[in-house]
């Protein structure tokens, strides 16, 4: 574990300026900061000022912005510190390749795939928040981790809960996993009500404070769709073993059901630092300053069946799981493009799932990806098709 032994653990954070990245640095500060950890690389995108501040505070060796246009600003912000500044997609991969033993993968979207793969391939332990790696390139990504020899530790709260509830050597006795979903801000809304919502309304999550993409994904339940595919690859499950249940309080983070009828769960306050801390010190548990559950105050936990008619993303995930191959990459890429269009006010909230479905249908069936370029190709084609559909919708409007 960090601290105590006198050996500082080397770590990197891909996406340090985001919601998960900031929480990761908070956990690191709680567990001894620079006394316990040797920060190798931090990466961000547009928020150069925050990236530079983090790099200075935690004494990082390298700071990388994904956007080449921000290079000069980053370099200036780091002048005189001795911290190396770099920019661009290749620089991200190089930062991930630098020799940190533990890497937090917290870039949002498929932009995180190439750097995270690079870290996995060289055998780093991967703390995975960037679920899109598994959605887009599941088998190849898992294979890269195995070949590299590092560990893959989930950070997504549901998957961390499952990871914590899985008993050693009992994989054969796992009957099902139950992913909990808060249901998001539109849990009780009709499709008619959802049709006209703005980004401002959709991003207001009832329980969790998160990045924009995942907040909107919680409102559409597209995030849960990604998590179903993520679970399949992380835990080597059949699609029928993956259940989703709506649990509005977000206290039970997910569960594992066994052949003897037992169900093991992990509970906690909705605070990502618990899952991040677990991934950082696994198999030890760190001492964290996070809220403790007060069961009397909670009083009750509720459960509802998910509604695949109001939230079609769940149905799309089932389709992608059944079809396999690069359907996950296709679904995710199409939705990333549709998400950008929704945020830009070009399409309505419900159109996001429609577009993902139309692209999935147009590109089905799909062969398995044998090399990573197959994934990138499917991703690019799905983006192209989604953009066409959006342009067509705009023309018609
Ligand atoms: P965020 O938007 O807050 O942060 C994203 C990070 O990625 C930032 O550091 C940003 O600079 C960087 N980034 C954005 N675009 C980039 C690009 N094109 N190239 C390189 N870097 C880029 O997102 P977040 O909420 O922290 O989520 C990060 C990942 O973790 C996502 O995959 C999300 O699904 C997953 N996740 C987040 C939470 C949460 O509570 N926020 C929970 C579970 C899983
Ligand atoms: Mg989650």
């Amino acid at each position: 574990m960090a601290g105590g032994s006198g050996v500082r653990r080397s770590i990197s954070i891909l996406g340090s300026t985001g919601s998960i990245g900031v929480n990761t640095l908070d956990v690191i500060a709680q567990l001894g900061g620079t006394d316990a950890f040797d920060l190798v690389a931090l990466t961000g995108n547009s928020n150069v000022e925050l990236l530079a501040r983090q790099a200075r505070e935690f004494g990082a060796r390298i700071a990388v912005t994904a956007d080449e246009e921000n290079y000069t600003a980053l370099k200036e912000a780091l002048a005189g510190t001795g911290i190396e500044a770099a920019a661009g997609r290749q620089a991200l991969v190089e930062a991930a390749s630098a020799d940190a033993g533990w890497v937090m993968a917290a870039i949002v979207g498929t932009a995180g795939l190439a750097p995270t793969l690079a870290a996995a391939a060289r055998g780093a332990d991967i703390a995975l928040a960037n679920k899109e790696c598994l959605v887009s390139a599941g088998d190849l990504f898992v294979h890269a981790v195995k070949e590299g020899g590092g560990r893959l530790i989930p950070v997504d709260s549901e998957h961390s809960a499952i990871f914590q509830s899985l008993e050693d050597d009992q994989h054969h006795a796992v009957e099902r996993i139950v992913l909990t979903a808060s249901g998001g801000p539109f849990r009780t809304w009709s499709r008619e009500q959802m049709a006209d919502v703005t980004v401002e309304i959709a991003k207001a999550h009832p329980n969790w404070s998160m990045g924009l993409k995942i907040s909107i994904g919680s409102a559409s339940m597209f995030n849960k769709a990604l998590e179903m595919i993520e679970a399949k690859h992380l835990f080597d499950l059949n699609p029928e073993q993956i259940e989703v249940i709506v649990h509005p309080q977000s206290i039970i983070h997910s569960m594992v059901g066994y052949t003897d009828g037992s169900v093991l769960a992990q509970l906690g306050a909705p605070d990502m630092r618990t899952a991040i801390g677990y991934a950082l010190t696994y198999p030890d548990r760190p001492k964290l300053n996070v809220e403790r559950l007060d069961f009397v105050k909670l009083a009750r936990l509720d459960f509802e069946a998910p509604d695949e008619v109001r939230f079609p993303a769940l149905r799309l995930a089932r389709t992608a799981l059944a079809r396999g191959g690069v359907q996950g990459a296709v679904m995710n890429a199409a939705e990333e493009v549709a998400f950008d269009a929704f945020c830009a006010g070009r399409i309505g909230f419900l159109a996001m799932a429609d577009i993902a479905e139309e692209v999935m249908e147009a590109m089905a069936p799909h062969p398995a990806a044998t090399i990573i370029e197959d994934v990138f190709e499917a991703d690019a084609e799905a983006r192209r098709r989604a953009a066409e559909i959006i342009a067509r919708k705009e023309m018609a409007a």
Side-chain angles (χ1 to χ4, degrees), residues 63-80:
V64 182
T65 162
D67 188 343
E68 289 183 26
E69 298 209 339
N70 292 328
Y71 176 69
T72 314
L74 181 63
K75 186 139 181 81
E76 277 167 14
L78 292 173

Side-chain angles (χ1 to χ4, degrees), residues 15 17-20 44-45 66 106-108 129-132 156 210-211 272:
T17 56
S19 166
I20 292 287
N45 191 29
I107 290 173
V108 60
N130 187 193
K131 62 194 85 181
E132 294 88 348
D156 214 348
M210 310 177 287
M272 287 307 295

Side-chain angles (χ1 to χ4, degrees), residues 117 133-134 137-147 152 233-234:
L117 264 177
C133 290
L134 285 174
D139 295 338
L140 290 170
F141 188 82
V142 169
H143 183 73
V145 173
K146 278 212 183 92
E147 290 282 296
L152 181 59
H233 293 291
L234 270 175

